[in-house]
């Protein structure tokens, strides 16, 4: 039976490097997704971070020795051939003397080979498992304090092409992997989780296709230079499932359509390659079909189909001398070395993101800025020019302006409210037809004309009720109400009262509809505006009770929004929101005022406790265990239940693990006395205290 395994590593607080912000959160989020949503058994998923809990009384603090021990046990004892394996790392990486390394929390820039994890070694261990699907995700950040011989990731890709482990790099060699406070994650992990949750990325090919578009879009959205993931997938594994729910479908696809002998696959590829094309037949699913891609040559070799060693493919040669699966797939996506060679068109099933020139990264960042500037500038210029053209249409089109028309129109507007085609031409009252644009001015007294609509004040009292009834029939409720308000008291009959009720009903119904349209979810100010609209309905008028019910409900929603923000520790926003509750709703208004008073006190406590946390963080000294012990004592002053308590507890666990990690590092280097003194600094009651006491006892023996 196929088992599903995962190991997630995330490191923030490096002992010799600048801390990262969200690497630990990245590993935690992926671990939680695999266990809680994807269906991985919790006992088969290992989390190694700054603050992860011990497993079976073993520390999961990510020192170099601890990481290597866990990886060895994971690959050699737990995982078996045919299983599904995820291996995720988020932290610093470095290329040293042409070799890529992953930096553990105690990785020393002065001794990288002795303290870091070799990527080549890790890939070799994963490949030796012979798992059905093995996926290595590396979100390697580059540090300015680490030496680098060549772009980080280059050697990783070279090693990955030689094994059967699917490998994903968070960015291309030469690019940076970015974090953003808006997401509380690295951009790569955010895109990865989005694809797994909502992008229907059930296979390696799906994930490659999703990351290729989404990751650059995400980084540009948060005003970061474009970041491009690199996905390397072994031949024949593009349609294999990467999550438990997708394993059955992937297995069916592989059984039905994949050649049983890998040599047959290579032969088929070579046959197509000899014609200059490679066809990848995808399973029947949305968005993926048959894709035929022209092969581009390797660097300087043209289209002859030669492999990386420079030896041509021969139809009679042994399969061991042919191009490897990675070399064949790489020819689909590698950028041609010659500037005259056209690149191959992209395909949804291209299994490796095109490589970019690392030296062009600054130019790309600038191009993004200038492209946006040009787009917005062009739009603004277009709007301004359109306004000028519309206002001066006659001048631009060359049409002459007829002054007589303007004169006639101006004079006739003084005598008649609407354009008329008949005017008086003699004292006898005879009329004649005259053009509207006549150049002969017509005297005002010669052109009497009745107004198009009579004002309410001009309606005789006896005609007010019929006029109001006509207005109601035309859905002019405001006009009807104005007419009815002028009816004398001695004429306010039963008909008057019925008409007025109908008019007020329509007016108030329009008010409530307008109020409801104003509302936007999670926007307290919109609910406040809706309440102001509904409050225009006065007692005794139709729909007054309905309006009061709406006001009551909307006031409660405003208070609920305020309480939600207070639970998130946003006391300032909670207070501003609660102040939008109207006074005319006494019950909810009283609750809001009471809550405001409590939140003002909590806000003061939050500021004081945050000052303690800031003081503690500012007192930390790299490599000095006592500074972490003193910092823990500071944050422990924050009482339970007060704002900042949970953050203080999190930091306490993180810092106690760092102290224990320093002790274990010193013990591994033979400095037992220093290790004992360091471990003794782990305060009691912290997550690392029990393990520290066990280590002290062991070292004393």
């Amino acid at each position: 039976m196929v088992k599903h395994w995962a190991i997630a590593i995330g490191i923030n607080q490096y002992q010799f490097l600048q801390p990262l912000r969200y690497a630990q959160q990245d590993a935690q989020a992926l671990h939680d997704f695999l266990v809680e949503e994807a269906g991985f058994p919790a006992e088969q998923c290992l989390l190694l971070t700054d603050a992860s809990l011990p497993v079976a009384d073993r520390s999961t603090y990510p020192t170099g020795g601890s990481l290597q021990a866990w990886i060895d046990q994971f690959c050699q004892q737990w995982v078996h051939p045919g299983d599904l394996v995820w291996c995720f790392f988020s932290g610093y990486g470095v290329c040293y003397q042409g070799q890529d390394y992953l930096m553990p929390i105690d990785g020393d820039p002065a001794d990288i080979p002795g303290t870091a994890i070799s990527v080549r070694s890790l890939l070799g261990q994963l490949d030796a498992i012979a798992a059905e699907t093995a996926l290595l995700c590396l979100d390697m950040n580059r540090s300015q304090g680490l030496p680098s011989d060549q772009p980080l990731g280059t050697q990783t890709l070279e090693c990955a092409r030689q094994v059967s482990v699917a490998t994903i790099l968070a960015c291309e060699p030469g690019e940076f992997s970015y974090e953003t406070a808006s997401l509380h994650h690295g951009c790569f992990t955010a895109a990865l989780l989005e694809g797994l949750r909502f992008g229907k990325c059930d296979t390696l090919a799906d994930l490659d296709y999703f990351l290729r578009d989404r990751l650059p879009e995400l980084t540009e959205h948060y005003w970061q230079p474009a970041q491009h993931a690199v996905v390397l997938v072994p031949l024949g594994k593009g349609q294999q499932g990467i999550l438990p729910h997708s394993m059955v479908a992937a297995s069916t696809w592989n059984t039905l359509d994949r050649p049983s002998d890998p040599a047959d696959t290579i032969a088929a590829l070579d046959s197509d390659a000899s014609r200059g094309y490679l066809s990848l037949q995808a399973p029947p699913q949305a968005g993926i079909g048959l894709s035929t891609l022209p092969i581009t040559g390797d660097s300087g070799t043209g289209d002859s189909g030669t492999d990386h060693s420079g030896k041509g493919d021969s139809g009679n040669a042994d399969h061991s001398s042919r191009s490897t699966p990675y070399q064949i797939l790489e020819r689909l996506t590698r950028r041609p070395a010659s500037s005259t060679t056209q690149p191959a068109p992209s395909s949804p099933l291209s299994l490796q993101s095109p490589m970019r020139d690392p030296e062009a990264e600054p130019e790309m960042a600038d191009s993004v800025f200038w492209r946006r500037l040009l787009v917005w500038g062009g739009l603004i210029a277009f709007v301004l020019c359109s306004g000028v053209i519309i206002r001066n249409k006659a001048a631009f089109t060359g049409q002459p302006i007829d002054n007589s028309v303007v004169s006639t129109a101006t004079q006739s507007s003084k005598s008649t409210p609407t354009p008329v085609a008949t005017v008086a031409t003699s004292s006898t009252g005879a009329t004649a037809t005259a053009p509207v644009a006549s150049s002969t001015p017509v005297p005002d007294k010669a052109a009497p004309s009745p107004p198009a609509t009579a004002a309410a004040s001009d309606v005789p009292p006896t005609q007010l009720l019929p006029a109001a009834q006509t207005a109601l029939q035309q859905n002019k409720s405001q006009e009807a109400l104005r007419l009815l308000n002028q009816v004398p008291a001695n004429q306010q009959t039963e008909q008057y009262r019925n008409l007025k009720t109908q008019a007020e009903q329509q007016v108030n119904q329009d008010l409530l509809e307008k109020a409801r349209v104003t509302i936007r979810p999670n926007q307290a100010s919109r609910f406040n505006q809706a309440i102001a609209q509904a409050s225009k309905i006065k007692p005794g008028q139709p729909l007054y009770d309905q309006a009061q019910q709406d006001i009551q409900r909307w006031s409660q929603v405003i208070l609920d929004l305020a309480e939600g923000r207070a639970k998130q520790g946003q006391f300032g926003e909670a207070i501003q929101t609660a102040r939008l509750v109207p006074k005319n709703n006494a019950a909810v208004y009283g609750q809001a005022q009471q809550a405001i008073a409590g939140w003002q006190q909590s806000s003061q406590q939050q500021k004081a406790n945050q000052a303690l946390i800031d003081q503690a963080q500012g007192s930390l000294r790299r490599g000095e265990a006592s500074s972490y012990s003193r910092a823990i004592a500071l944050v422990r002053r924050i009482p339970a239940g007060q704002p900042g308590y949970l953050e203080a507890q999190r930091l306490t666990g993180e810092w106690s693990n760092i102290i224990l990690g320093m002790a274990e590092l010193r013990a591994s280097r033979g400095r037992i006395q220093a290790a004992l003194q360091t471990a003794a600094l782990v305060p009691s009651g912290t997550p690392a205290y029990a393990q520290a006491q066990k280590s002290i006892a062991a070292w004393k023996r």
Side-chain angles (χ1 to χ4, degrees), residues 329-466:
L329 289 178
E330 186 182 16
R331 290 202 294 267
L332 297 176
T333 54
R334 173 175 289 195
R335 176 179 296 167
S338 173
S339 60
T340 60
T341 304
Q342 296 298 323
S346 61
S347 164
L349 284 180
S350 177
L351 299 182
Q352 179 183 357
S353 297
M355 301 294 292
R356 295 157 56 91
D357 184 2
E359 296 179 359
E361 182 63 33
E363 297 180 5
M364 289 183 58
D366 292 341
S367 67
V368 170
F369 169 77
W370 286 111
R371 184 167 65 251
R372 289 177 176 168
L373 181 62
L374 289 174
V375 169
W376 284 106
L379 287 175
I380 294 172
F382 175 77
V383 171
L384 293 176
C385 292
S386 299
V388 172
I389 292 173
I390 291 172
R391 290 181 60 88
N392 301 275
K393 180 178 179 182
F396 280 102
T397 58
Q399 297 177 353
I401 301 176
D402 191 349
N403 295 327
S404 61
V405 175
V406 178
S407 175
T408 303
T410 304
Q411 293 177 7
S412 62
S413 65
K414 298 179 181 179
S415 58
T416 59
T418 58
V420 293
T422 58
V423 293
T425 57
S426 67
S427 59
T428 61
T431 60
T433 302
V436 175
S438 173
S439 59
T440 305
V442 181
D444 292 348
K445 64 180 181 179
S449 175
T453 56
S457 58
D458 295 338
V459 178
T462 57
Q463 297 299 316
L464 287 173
L465 290 179

Side-chain angles (χ1 to χ4, degrees), residues 192-439:
L192 176 64
L193 291 172
E194 182 181 340
L196 296 174
R197 280 197 178 100
F198 311 115
K200 299 182 179 179
C201 296
D202 296 331
T203 67
L204 292 167
D206 294 339
L207 189 58
D208 173 33
Y209 186 69
F210 181 86
L211 290 175
R212 188 180 309 171
D213 290 336
R214 182 55 178 155
L215 183 55
E217 178 184 78
L218 195 65
T219 51
E220 290 192 22
H221 177 76
Y222 288 101
W223 296 92
Q224 301 286 3
Q227 179 179 335
H228 303 80
V230 181
V231 181
L232 277 179
V233 181
L235 186 63
K237 293 192 176 184
Q239 296 304 324
Q240 287 187 347
I242 56 177
L243 298 175
H245 67 267
S246 62
M247 293 294 287
V248 174
S251 177
T252 303
W253 154 250
N254 291 334
T255 302
L256 292 176
D257 295 301
R258 192 175 59 187
S260 58
D261 185 0
D264 295 339
T265 303
I266 299 296
L269 289 172
D270 286 346
S271 176
D272 284 337
S274 66
R275 297 191 298 269
Y277 288 86
L278 174 64
S279 300
L280 299 178
Q281 178 65 48
Q285 63 183 35
I288 301 181
L290 180 63
S291 176
T292 302
L293 305 178
I295 298 177
T296 61
D298 287 84
S299 300
T301 63
D303 297 332
S304 61
T306 54
D307 61 15
H308 288 282
S309 64
K311 300 178 181 179
D313 292 338
S314 173
N316 300 321
D318 183 73
H319 289 301
S320 62
S321 65
R322 296 180 184 271
S323 297
T324 66
Y326 276 123
Q327 291 169 335
I328 294 174
L329 289 178
E330 186 182 16
R331 290 202 294 267
L332 297 176
T333 54
R334 173 175 289 195
R335 176 179 296 167
S338 173
S339 60
T340 60
T341 304
Q342 296 298 323
S346 61
S347 164
L349 284 180
S350 177
L351 299 182
Q352 179 183 357
S353 297
M355 301 294 292
R356 295 157 56 91
D357 184 2
E359 296 179 359
E361 182 63 33
E363 297 180 5
M364 289 183 58
D366 292 341
S367 67
V368 170
F369 169 77
W370 286 111
R371 184 167 65 251
R372 289 177 176 168
L373 181 62
L374 289 174
V375 169
W376 284 106
L379 287 175
I380 294 172
F382 175 77
V383 171
L384 293 176
C385 292
S386 299
V388 172
I389 292 173
I390 291 172
R391 290 181 60 88
N392 301 275
K393 180 178 179 182
F396 280 102
T397 58
Q399 297 177 353
I401 301 176
D402 191 349
N403 295 327
S404 61
V405 175
V406 178
S407 175
T408 303
T410 304
Q411 293 177 7
S412 62
S413 65
K414 298 179 181 179
S415 58
T416 59
T418 58
V420 293
T422 58
V423 293
T425 57
S426 67
S427 59
T428 61
T431 60
T433 302
V436 175
S438 173
S439 59

